[in-house]
Amino acid sequence: MSNKTNKNHRRKFLQKVGVGAAGALLIGNALFARDEARFKQESLSLGKEWDKTFKKDSAVTHKKVTFHNRYGITLAADLYLPKNLAKDSKLPAIAISGPFGAVKEQSSGLYAQTLAKNGFIALAFDPSYTGESSGTPRYVASPDINTEDFSAAVDFLSVYPNVDANKIGIVGICGFGGFAINAAANDPRIKATLASTMYDMSRVNANGYFDKENSKQARNKKRKELAEQRIKDYKAGSYTLAGGVVDPLPSDAPEFVKDYYAYYKTNRGYHKRSLNSNSGWNLTASLPFLNMPILTYSDEIETAVLLIHGEKAHSRYFSEDAFKKLQGSNKELFIVKNASHTDLYDQVDIIPFAKITEFFKQYLG
């Protein structure tokens, strides 16, 4: 039955029960609009096997779930629960994503499983357009939508039966550390935020690494190249991929590129759905970051924020500068001695999980 036919049927029914033609039209249109606004979650095909880059912990229960953001994208996630969770219990919960270009089977899942073992309900999710989550075209990044993904995860956790909706935090790793802080600035339901080995994706795209391309001329050159790429993609009817972590690894590669290779391109962290492990984002995915800075209002965050970064990480300056802007006594920057950027992805003897657990228990407890 067409939408027009549906509307006519509603109007005739309302007239029959005593509502005038004008009133019937208004009510019918309102009902129709309500039906149009109702979200129908997409059915996703989720893998059933344990395909993580880390070992399953017998002290934790794991299950696949889906939820949706306000743009109508259905996100896939792994929900980690403490073993033998009482049916009527209410626990604090944490939503986790990152690194940028990774999937929930990698670093974010490890963080989630560890936090669940330490008494939290933890949700590791694939961002929009990536992994097992929906969204087309594939492999798109967005400062707005990727920030929204965290708030959508909070929506899901807020109504989950075993979650205390007043005790929800988030964790962002690498590029999603910046998105996590951005989400905390806009969503007061987020009571505590951890940004681990953080990147500011707007800054690195607009200014280059270490701000070496921070000029109008350099940005306009990028914009021109990306605009030309848009035409190429439009003509081709497909999107050119930027490529993941460089492979083979050049002998003169910077140390941090070697670190990325050691994680994404080896058995340590490789995953078949990870963009960094494979063919990467759409080449034009960096476009919005040239024009839409995140962290603009991070100085207005009233809830707790913990930034953790490696002492030897090439990206350390992102966390140090982000911390300078944060206000209040419930903000902290914690530097892990001798740690690199990727050490905080999966090295459980280096990641300060005791510190992280203490932070969330303090502010979600």
Side-chain angles (χ1 to χ4, degrees):
M1 186 180 291
S2 70
N3 289 337
K4 184 176 180 180
T5 306
N6 266 328
K7 292 169 73 174
N8 288 335
H9 274 282
R10 289 194 187 103
R11 185 163 59 250
K12 288 178 181 178
F13 170 77
L14 291 166
Q15 288 174 329
K16 186 176 181 180
V17 296
V19 178
L25 182 61
L26 288 172
I27 295 172
N29 286 342
L31 290 170
F32 178 70
R34 184 193 67 186
D35 290 344
E36 285 287 284
R38 185 170 288 129
F39 182 82
K40 294 180 180 179
Q41 190 160 285
E42 187 175 345
S43 179
L44 301 180
S45 178
L46 305 180
K48 296 181 180 179
E49 73 281 3
W50 180 267
D51 59 349
K52 320 303 179 193
T53 59
F54 51 91
K55 292 182 179 179
K56 191 172 185 178
D57 195 314
S58 59
V60 174
T61 299
H62 159 267
K63 63 179 179 178
K64 295 266 195 170
V65 297
T66 60
F67 60 95
H68 63 272
N69 67 23
R70 65 186 181 88
Y71 293 111
I73 299 169
T74 300
L75 286 86
D78 288 308
L79 186 66
Y80 294 87
L81 307 158
K83 199 80 169 182
N84 302 318
L85 181 66
K87 186 177 180 180
D88 58 349
S89 62
K90 293 284 187 180
L91 298 181
I94 302 167
I96 306 160
S97 196
F100 191 74
V103 287
K104 64 187 180 304
E105 289 77 18
Q106 295 172 306
S107 181
S108 60
L110 173 64
Y111 273 68
Q113 180 174 255
T114 305
L115 287 168
K117 187 176 182 178
N118 292 340
F120 301 93
I121 290 175
L123 182 78
F125 64 88
D126 284 333
S128 296
Y129 306 107
T130 65
E132 291 186 305
S133 291
S134 73
T136 55
R138 303 300 291 165
Y139 314 142
V140 172
S142 163
D144 180 22
I145 295 174
N146 292 141
T147 298
E148 157 63 19
D149 288 341
F150 274 109
S151 288
V154 174
D155 293 340
F156 171 82
L157 289 172
S158 294
V159 299
Y160 193 79
N162 294 111
V163 170
D164 184 335
N166 295 310
K167 297 179 179 181
I168 297 176
I170 61 174
V171 174
I173 305 164
C174 184
F176 277 78
F179 297 142
I181 295 173
N182 208 42
N186 207 43
D187 193 336
R189 300 172 302 168
I190 298 168
K191 298 300 190 283
T193 301
L194 166 64
S196 180
T197 196
M198 176 205 139
Y199 260 53
D200 178 340
M201 295 308 300
S202 290
R203 181 176 177 181
V204 74
N205 276 286
N207 299 351
Y209 278 105
F210 315 112
D211 299 325
K212 289 182 178 179
E213 300 168 6
N214 185 19
S215 70
K216 178 180 73 174
Q217 292 77 15
R219 279 185 288 275
N220 279 337
K221 182 175 182 292
K222 292 177 188 177
R223 290 174 180 129
K224 182 179 179 182
E225 291 170 351
L226 291 170
E228 291 172 351
Q229 185 62 47
R230 290 181 65 134
I231 297 298
K232 293 176 184 176
D233 289 349
Y234 197 88
K235 286 179 178 178
S238 61
Y239 295 90
T240 304
L241 298 180
V245 171
V246 60
D247 188 15
L249 183 69
S251 59
D252 61 347
E255 196 62 35
F256 73 91
V257 175
K258 294 178 181 177
D259 289 342
Y260 283 134
Y261 184 94
Y263 181 75
Y264 287 108
K265 291 293 187 176
T266 70
N267 289 336
R268 173 185 163 194
Y270 177 85
H271 196 277
K272 61 185 179 182
R273 288 190 293 273
S274 168
L275 302 185
N276 292 339
S277 292
N278 296 283
S279 51
W281 298 92
N282 287 353
L283 198 59
T284 56
S286 59
L287 261 173
F289 296 100
L290 294 172
N291 205 40
M292 299 179 187
I294 59 174
L295 309 185
T296 301
Y297 298 107
S298 61
D299 57 339
E300 298 180 6
I301 299 174
E302 296 180 339
T303 52
V305 178
L306 171 63
L307 297 100
I308 291 177
H309 225 107
E311 180 185 26
K312 295 183 177 180
H314 69 284
S315 52
R316 177 175 165 179
Y317 70 103
F318 289 123
S319 283
E320 290 176 333
D321 287 353
F323 178 70
K324 290 174 186 175
K325 189 174 180 180
L326 297 173
Q327 303 293 313
S329 59
N330 57 355
K331 315 296 190 294
E332 181 180 357
L333 172 63
F334 184 81
I335 301 298
V336 183
K337 289 186 177 181
N338 298 317
S340 71
H341 180 84
T342 55
D343 282 340
L344 299 186
Y345 284 7
D346 67 333
Q347 300 301 294
V348 294
D349 57 335
I350 295 177
I351 300 170
F353 277 120
K355 171 76 175 178
I356 293 169
T357 300
E358 178 188 2
F359 168 75
F360 281 118
K361 285 188 174 179
Q362 178 180 355
Y363 291 105
L364 301 180

